[in-house]
Amino acid sequence: LYIHAASANGKEAAAAYKVMLEAHEPAIQSLEYIGYKGQTDSGSGINDIAATGYTKDAVYYKVDLNINYEDPQNEKSGIVKAEIFRADNNALLGQKDITPAADGRGPAQGTVTLTCEQNGSYAVKIVLTDRAGNTYTRTTDTLNIERAVPALDIQWKGPVAAGDDGENIYGFDKWCDQNVTLTLKLTNHTDSDTGNDLANPVDYYSRRVKKGEDINNAVWEKINQAPLSPTESLDAVISDDGDWQYEFKAVTAAKICNTSVQKHIMIDTS
């Protein structure tokens, strides 16, 4: 752009500017979803999650979006920013500024990874912005993110019989002459803090060994037949004679487990 100016008294001035105009939108060439969850069906801690591919409608602890972009025309200003928002409430989930080259243009093509780790079920709006200010928007599939860690509580349900002191003669660390019933439940939803509430069903697992043996050598086994609501309790019946060390844990749909709970249970029905 060349600008020439002249005043009434004959003075003149001139200046030249390089101007880049671009009216077209950038584009997403491909979008890859990468889901992360616990590494085993019986659950992992949040420090042991792993990439597991991605299945639509499955529940994950977090999801990476690998965004392959291109500014497709010959005269390119280049991509300078990528952002992701919740499509339902427009909350910003993440962004990345892309450093332009020395000539002021952003990269014409490349890949940027942004992570979705806000709890809930929602679609994500991806917004690319080029150097000229043009934007391109694309909405993803609905993602299901479960960030909560289950907090497990185990109570002795039965049998119950009062002794001379009025206390139950049965319980943990006491010999019992009949089958034992325990109640497993989560405490996540029992207070006003909703930050660690679960949105999806859970599974319960147990393992056991004879007292004095290493319980880490035992195999985790699922107790419930189908996933349960996180506000639903589960009664587990123990019927085998023996001096047992039991361990229990709850596992979310994202395969994240709580700190396990151990109980000493002694049964002799003979």
Side-chain angles (χ1 to χ4, degrees):
L1 176 66
Y2 178 78
I3 300 174
H4 177 266
S7 66
N9 61 8
K11 293 184 178 180
E12 297 184 356
Y17 300 91
K18 181 180 179 181
V19 178
M20 296 185 291
L21 300 177
E22 183 178 23
H24 62 273
E25 299 176 345
I28 293 177
Q29 298 300 309
S30 64
L31 175 62
E32 180 186 17
Y33 301 80
I34 302 176
Y36 292 79
K37 58 174 56 181
Q39 297 185 48
T40 67
D41 286 342
S42 60
S44 301
I46 59 175
N47 294 323
D48 295 315
I49 61 171
T52 59
Y54 184 82
T55 301
K56 185 178 179 180
D57 297 328
V59 179
Y60 296 94
Y61 186 73
K62 68 175 184 176
V63 174
D64 282 348
L65 299 176
N66 284 348
I67 306 161
N68 182 266
Y69 62 82
E70 183 177 7
D71 205 357
Q73 303 299 319
N74 290 329
E75 291 297 326
K76 302 176 175 72
S77 66
I79 309 300
V80 293
K81 184 164 61 174
E83 301 166 289
I84 53 175
F85 302 85
R86 282 185 66 140
D88 56 356
N89 60 18
N90 217 38
L92 178 65
L93 300 174
Q95 68 178 46
K96 184 172 183 179
D97 294 323
I98 302 170
T99 304
D103 64 1
R105 300 186 183 192
Q109 62 184 127
T111 300
V112 61
T113 300
L114 293 171
T115 301
C116 305
E117 50 188 4
Q118 191 175 108
N119 214 40
S121 295
Y122 50 87
V124 174
K125 183 172 63 177
I126 303 170
V127 179
L128 297 179
T129 304
D130 66 17
R131 186 68 171 172
N134 300 301
T135 60
Y136 172 84
T137 300
R138 176 170 168 178
T139 302
T140 70
D141 298 335
T142 297
L143 308 180
N144 298 302
I145 309 295
E146 181 73 271
R147 300 283 294 182
V149 178
L152 179 60
D153 178 66
I154 300 175
Q155 297 293 327
W156 182 280
K157 184 176 182 178
V160 175
D164 294 339
D165 58 358
E167 298 293 325
N168 187 14
I169 64 172
Y170 301 114
F172 300 117
D173 301 309
K174 299 177 182 179
W175 281 105
C176 185
D177 60 1
Q178 53 194 292
N179 295 344
V180 171
T181 301
L182 306 179
T183 298
L184 286 67
K185 63 180 180 180
L186 301 183
T187 61
N188 298 65
H189 297 257
T190 58
D191 55 33
S192 59
D193 181 9
T194 60
N196 200 39
D197 286 359
L198 285 88
N200 298 280
V202 294
D203 287 315
Y204 293 92
Y205 285 79
S206 70
R207 61 183 179 180
R208 70 180 185 182
V209 292
K210 293 289 188 178
K211 183 67 176 177
E213 296 179 3
D214 186 355
I215 201 166
N216 292 311
N217 294 329
V219 177
W220 287 105
E221 297 181 352
K222 189 163 71 169
I223 304 172
N224 50 303
Q225 296 297 314
L228 298 177
S229 164
T231 59
E232 183 179 0
S233 62
L234 172 67
D235 285 348
V237 177
I238 300 172
S239 57
D240 293 338
D241 283 9
D243 186 353
W244 301 106
Q245 188 70 26
Y246 267 83
E247 189 170 20
F248 301 88
K249 64 180 176 179
V251 181
T252 70
K255 303 305 179 187
I256 299 299
C257 66
N258 59 314
T259 301
S260 59
V261 178
Q262 292 196 18
K263 295 294 183 182
H264 183 205
I265 299 170
M266 300 182 290
I267 301 175
D268 183 1
T269 60
S270 58

